C-alpha cells in the first residue's frame, strides 16, 4: 500500500453507521485505503459489503439522519468530513466526481440533457451560458454522443441506457476532476457497450496523468482489464488488498478465492460447474463478533469465531485479514 508519491485520497478508520428502529447497522467498519495519482483502484465484493456506502461517504452523500460518518477522509491534505457544506459542494463535481450506479434513473426526466450537463459546468466554472453550452457539447462529443449540439435539447427518456451512461460520464468529467468514482458504471449494459464505456473512462483519465479512478464493481473480469490495485471488501471491512496481477495470481483470503472460483472458465471441451460461496452475507444489524466471513468459510479455525483478525501485510504490497493466512 506504500508508494513514493503522496496519495490523492486517504481514508482512515472510516465508519458509517445507520441508526434504525431495529438497531444500529454497521455498513462500513474501520476502512483504510489510499488512492494515488494516475492509478485505477478496484473496489470489489458482494452486494451489501459496503462498497457504495464507502464511495458516497467520500462526498458526504450519506443522509444524516439516519447515517453517521466517522473517521477521516483526506483529499489533498484536507479532511472532507470537517469542511463546511459550501466547501464540500465545491469539491463535488469539480475535484471529485461520481458516476452513480443506475444510469436509467440518475438523470432528471423533466430537464433536458443540455440543462443537466450545463448545470455541472456552471456550478463550478466562471463561464457564460454560451461558453457552458459549448463546453457541454464538446463533452458530449468526447463521450461519443452523435450530433451532440442537437441532442442537448433532448430528454433522458429519448436516450438508450448506454447513451445515458455516456451523458453521466460527460457530466462527471466536464470540470476535469482529480478523482472519478465510478459505481457500477456498466450495470445493465450489454458487453459491447460495457467495453466502450470502460475504454472511454480510461482514455479520458489518461489525458490527465495525475487523475485517478475508483471503480466499484462486481465484475472481476472488468477489474482484471482496467485496474492497477484491487481492494476486496466484505461486511464493511477490507479483507484483502493487492495489485491486480498479484491478486489474480495468488489470492490469499478464502473469500477472494471464492470470488475468483465463481468465474466461468474456458478449458477446451471440458465443462466445469461454477463454484459458489455457501450461505449469504450476514445482516449488518447482527454481524459475527470475530471474522465476518467465518460463518461461510470452509477453512475457519477455532479463534475465527471469537477474534476479529487484523489486516496484515503478508507479502510486500499484499495485505490480508485472515487468521488462517496470518496465524
Amino acid at each position: 500500500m506504500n508508494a513514493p508519491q503522496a496519495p490523492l485520497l486517504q481514508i482512515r478508520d472510516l465508519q458509517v453507521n445507520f441508526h434504525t428502529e431495529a438497531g444500529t447497522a454497521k455498513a462500513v467498519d474501520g476502512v483504510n485505503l489510499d488512492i494515488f495519482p494516475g492509478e485505477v483502484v478496484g473496489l470489489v465484493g458482494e452486494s451489501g459489503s459496503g462498497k457504495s456506502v464507502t464511495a458516497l461517504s467520500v462526498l458526504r452523500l450519506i443522509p444524516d439522519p439516519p447515517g453517521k460518518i466517522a473517521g477521516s477522509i483526506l483529499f489533498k491534505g484536507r479532511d472532507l468530513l470537517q469542511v463546511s457544506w459550501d466547501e464540500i459542494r465545491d469539491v463535488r463535481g469539480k475535484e471529485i466526481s461520481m458516476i452513480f450506479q443506475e444510469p436509467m434513473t440518475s438523470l432528471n426526466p423533466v430537464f433536458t440533457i443540455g440543462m443537466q450537463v450545463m448545470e455541472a459546468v456552471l456550478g463550478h466554472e466562471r463561464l457564460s451560458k454560451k461558453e457552458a453550452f459549448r463546453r457541454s457539447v464538446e463533452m458530449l462529443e468526447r463521450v461519443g454522443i452523435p450530433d451532440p449540439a442537437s441532442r442537448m435539447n433532448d430528454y433522458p427518456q429519448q436516450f438508450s441506457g448506454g447513451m445515458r451512461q455516456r451523458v453521466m460520464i460527460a457530466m462527471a468529467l466536464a470540470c476535469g476532476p482529480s478523482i472519478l468514482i465510478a459505481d457500477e458504471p456498466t450495470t445493465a449494459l450489454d458487453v459491447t457497450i460495457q467495453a466502450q464505456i470502460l475504454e472511454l473512462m480510461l482514455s479520458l483519465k489518461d489525458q490527465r496523468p495525475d487523475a485517478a479512478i475508483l471503480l466499484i464493481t462486481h465484475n472481476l473480469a472488468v477489474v482484471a482489464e482496467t485496474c492497477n490495485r484491487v481492494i476486496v471488501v466484505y461486511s464493511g471491512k477490507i479483507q484483502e488488498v493487492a495489485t491486480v496481477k498479484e491478486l489474480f495470481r495468488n489470492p490469499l483470503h478464502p473469500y477472494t478465492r471464492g470470488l475468483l472460483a465463481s468465474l466461468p472458465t474456458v478449458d477446451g471441451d471440458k465443462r466445469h460447474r461454477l463454484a459458489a460461496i455457501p450461505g449469504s452475507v450476514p445482516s449488518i444489524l447482527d454481524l459475527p463478533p470475530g471474522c465476518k466471513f467465518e460463518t461461510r468459510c470452509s477453512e475457519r479455525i477455532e479463534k475465527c469465531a471469537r477474534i476479529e483478525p487484523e489486516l496484515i501485510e503478508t507479502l510486500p504490497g499484499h495485505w490480508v485479514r485472515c487468521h488462517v493466512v496470518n496465524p
Side-chain angles (χ1 to χ4, degrees), residues 17-36:
N17 296 331
F18 292 92
H19 300 289
T20 70
E21 292 181 357
T24 299
K26 295 183 177 181
V28 176
D29 188 10
V31 162
N32 295 281
L33 66 87
D34 295 334
I35 299 177
F36 294 94

Side-chain angles (χ1 to χ4, degrees), residues 38 76 94-95 175-178 204-212:
K76 296 182 178 179
K94 173 64 176 175
E95 297 283 356
C175 297
S178 298
L204 292 175
K205 182 196 78 72
D206 290 341
Q207 295 175 19
R208 181 175 172 180
D210 62 338

